[in-house]
Amino acid sequence: MKDEFKPRIIGFLCNWCSYAGADLAGTSRLQYPPSLLPIRVMCSSRVDPLFVISAFLRGADAVLIAGCHPGDCHYQEGNYYARRRFACVRKVFETLGMESDRLRLSWISASEGPRFANVITEYTEKIKKMGPNPAKKNIFL
Amino acid sequence: MKELVEKIRKIFSDEKLELLIGYTKGTLPLRSTPGLIESADEADKLIFDFTCCNNLAKYLVDEKKRSGNTHRIGIIAKGCDARAVVQLVMEGQFERENVVIIGVPCKGVIDPSKLRKKLNGKEIIKFKVNRDKITLFGKNFELELNKNELFSDSCLSCRYPNAVQYDYFIGEPSEPLGVRDEYASVDEFEQKLPEKRWTYFEKEYSRCIRCYACRNACPMCYCEECFVDRSTPQWIGKGNDLSDTIIFHIVRVLHTAGRCVDCGACAAACPLNIDIRMLGKRIEKEVIERFGFTPGLDFETEPAMATFKENDKEEFIM
Ligand code: SF4
Ligand code: SF4
Ligand code: SF4
Ligand code: FES
């Protein structure tokens, strides 16, 4: 049990929705695995692909970008641009032969504490199955 | 060439150009060099043939930056140069009315890295072209090749050999070479196992010396300060580390996603014959399939990454 793999997931959470959603999950005392390292950003579209790459480079097993639901972005359209951008990032990873599922997006509103807990639980399980990020050793030498 | 020179002279004075960007003869056989023409009299220096592999739109952005976007500049444009100009206008790099696009029919251009591979260190002194064949002559050797063996991969599958948008067009439009199906190489590559794909890129990128010639040749890389040169924060190391090199290639391809016109100028500029095209081409395909966008075709469609649809596919969202 001692050597059980505990995934480290870097979460870029938008200030207006998903970060508040995470807060709500916390204040509601919902249980979810302690695998997420949250980083608050003002909008999902603030996330530069370089943030994601740097996270992998520094040992992250996965990256989750969470923002407001489509139509609800505090800046009206940010999450739509983020969606296009990260569709391309995932394709680049996949083409290179990396596992694109180590990068996911999610829409979580400020009132969706339970959904936040679920997404983290589900994603943690998935990454547990995938194992530690091989990119740590192979790709980013 | 005579028709080109005469027509350009006329355009130069009719349009009251202050500058024209074209190609002139290079100092080595089978090489041309971008040339800036400042008066109609200088037009006889201009050439256009299968050695013109630079994307001249690059010099247009440079010039616009230097001169502050005010005067009219003419540009000789193959299909891909013209598409780059259109995309740059769409990105607000300069005004449409400040550039005069002079289309020329392109029949494919040489990829210098393919030439280098064929020559294997030997030097050519002269060459002779006979329709589809080209013969290279050097000290104690003679090599007959099919022109297609030297043409850039971008040209072999190019869909737009003639400027789609232009102000003038000199000559008869060309037919696409059509040697290869456009996405044949990426589709084939995608059939490989992920590990095989990784090994391939690792092998390619590990030879990269990060000279950034590929970036410098690209009309779409016009950032005042490229992320690789930034020191606050320093995104990537300056040394010869493979992870840093891979970050450069990933980010470059992302920054040119939905903007790259597949002109092949980056590949042509690489001194190490690195396969820069494969990854970019796969992303180009993704942008077409997902967002239905091909860069540089018209002055109306919003570029893919500057717009969105509410119902864009989101199968990767949890
Ligand atoms: S031109 Fe070639 S060697 Fe230079 S940075 Fe680009 S890929 Fe690397
Ligand atoms: S990335 Fe290469 S092929 Fe694409 S526009 Fe730039 S120079 Fe041309
Ligand atoms: S690689 Fe990116 S940051 Fe660098 S010049 Fe090109 S577009 Fe700009
Ligand atoms: S503010 Fe939440 S995604 Fe834009």
Side-chain angles (χ1 to χ4, degrees), chain B residues 86-238:
Chain B
V86 173
Q87 177 67 20
L88 289 165
V89 168
M90 292 307 289
E91 293 177 6
Q93 286 307 300
F94 40 81
E95 302 296 332
R96 171 69 185 94
E97 45 287 5
N98 286 344
V99 50
V100 178
I101 307 172
I102 306 162
V104 283
C106 179
K107 298 186 169 59
V109 296
I110 285 185
D111 175 350
S113 41
K114 289 196 182 178
L115 179 63
R116 256 193 316 266
K117 276 189 204 155
K118 293 278 180 211
L119 289 173
N120 207 357
K122 292 181 296 235
E123 271 178 43
I124 36 172
I125 300 165
K126 56 176 190 173
F127 65 93
K128 220 166 63 201
V129 180
N130 186 1
R131 278 186 225 163
D132 292 342
K133 298 263 185 256
I134 178 164
T135 318
L136 312 175
F137 302 92
K139 250 193 210 150
N140 313 322
F141 82 94
E142 197 182 309
L143 183 64
E144 196 196 62
L145 297 168
N146 222 316
K147 269 203 221 152
N148 286 348
E149 293 180 72
L150 294 182
F151 280 171
S152 147
D153 286 340
S154 304
C155 302
L156 297 178
S157 63
C158 173
R159 258 182 299 161
Y160 307 100
N162 307 297
V164 181
Q165 304 288 339
Y166 56 84
D167 298 293
Y168 297 90
F169 196 90
I170 304 179
E172 286 300 310
S174 308
E175 286 297 317
L177 290 181
V179 175
R180 225 179 258 170
D181 175 56
E182 189 162 21
Y183 295 109
S185 49
V186 288
D187 291 343
E188 211 175 285
F189 185 73
E190 214 165 25
Q191 298 303 313
K192 294 186 190 195
L193 289 172
E195 304 84 76
K196 287 269 155 51
R197 296 205 291 270
W198 172 250
T199 322
Y200 177 77
F201 283 115
E202 189 179 39
K203 205 169 136 238
E204 288 297 307
Y205 296 155
S206 61
R207 293 186 291 117
C208 170
I209 53 170
R210 268 193 279 148
C211 63
Y212 302 134
C214 48
R215 171 197 71 183
N216 293 0
C218 174
M220 296 306 152
C221 275
Y222 51 70
C223 296
E224 288 292 337
E225 191 181 30
C226 178
F227 80 98
V228 299
D229 298 322
R230 289 189 67 167
S231 49
T232 41
Q234 183 173 351
W235 289 107
I236 75 175
K238 309 278 179 202

Side-chain angles (χ1 to χ4, degrees), chain B residues 223-285:
Chain B
C223 296
E224 288 292 337
E225 191 181 30
C226 178
F227 80 98
V228 299
D229 298 322
R230 289 189 67 167
S231 49
T232 41
Q234 183 173 351
W235 289 107
I236 75 175
K238 309 278 179 202
N240 198 10
D241 180 276
L242 181 59
S243 347
D244 288 333
T245 304
I246 289 168
I247 295 175
F248 165 60
H249 285 279
I250 292 178
V251 176
R252 193 190 73 89
V253 111
L254 286 171
H255 287 180
T256 52
R259 308 170 58 234
C260 166
V261 294
D262 192 21
C263 61
C266 48
C270 178
L272 286 140
N273 316 342
I274 287 164
D275 182 357
I276 309 177
R277 184 167 180 259
M278 182 74 79
L279 190 56
K281 199 67 186 165
R282 181 61 192 89
I283 299 310
E284 176 192 297
K285 188 179 174 210

Side-chain angles (χ1 to χ4, degrees), chain B residues 37-52:
Chain B
I37 304 293
E38 288 178 317
S39 74
D41 305 336
E42 289 179 278
D44 47 6
K45 286 201 281 192
L46 291 170
I47 61 156
F48 180 71
D49 57 21
F50 62 98
T51 64
C52 300

Side-chain angles (χ1 to χ4, degrees), chain A residues 49-51 53-54 57 70 77 80-81 83-85 87-92 94-97 104-107 115 119 122-123 139-141, chain B residues 189-190 194 197-198 201 205 227 235 242-243 247 250-251 253-254 279 282-283 286 290-291 304-310 312 314 316-318:
Chain A
L50 270 166
F51 297 179
I53 298 167
S54 298
L57 181 65
E77 312 179 328
Y80 290 120
Y81 295 111
R83 187 168 64 185
R84 284 207 163 189
R85 188 182 310 153
C88 291
V89 176
R90 278 174 50 98
K91 200 60 187 178
V92 167
E94 201 182 302
T95 308
L96 288 172
R104 279 296 183 103
L105 265 67
S106 187
W107 309 136
R115 180 171 150 73
V119 166
E122 219 180 277
Y123 199 32
I139 297 183
F140 300 115
L141 297 169
Chain B
F189 185 73
E190 214 165 25
R197 296 205 291 270
W198 172 250
F201 283 115
Y205 296 155
F227 80 98
W235 289 107
L242 181 59
S243 347
I247 295 175
I250 292 178
V251 176
V253 111
L254 286 171
L279 190 56
R282 181 61 192 89
I283 299 310
E286 188 69 9
R290 254 180 201 273
F291 313 132
M305 304 316 272
T307 185
F308 62 87
K309 290 203 186 74
E310 278 175 25
D312 277 334
E314 53 168 33
F316 53 89
I317 303 212
M318 297 183 62

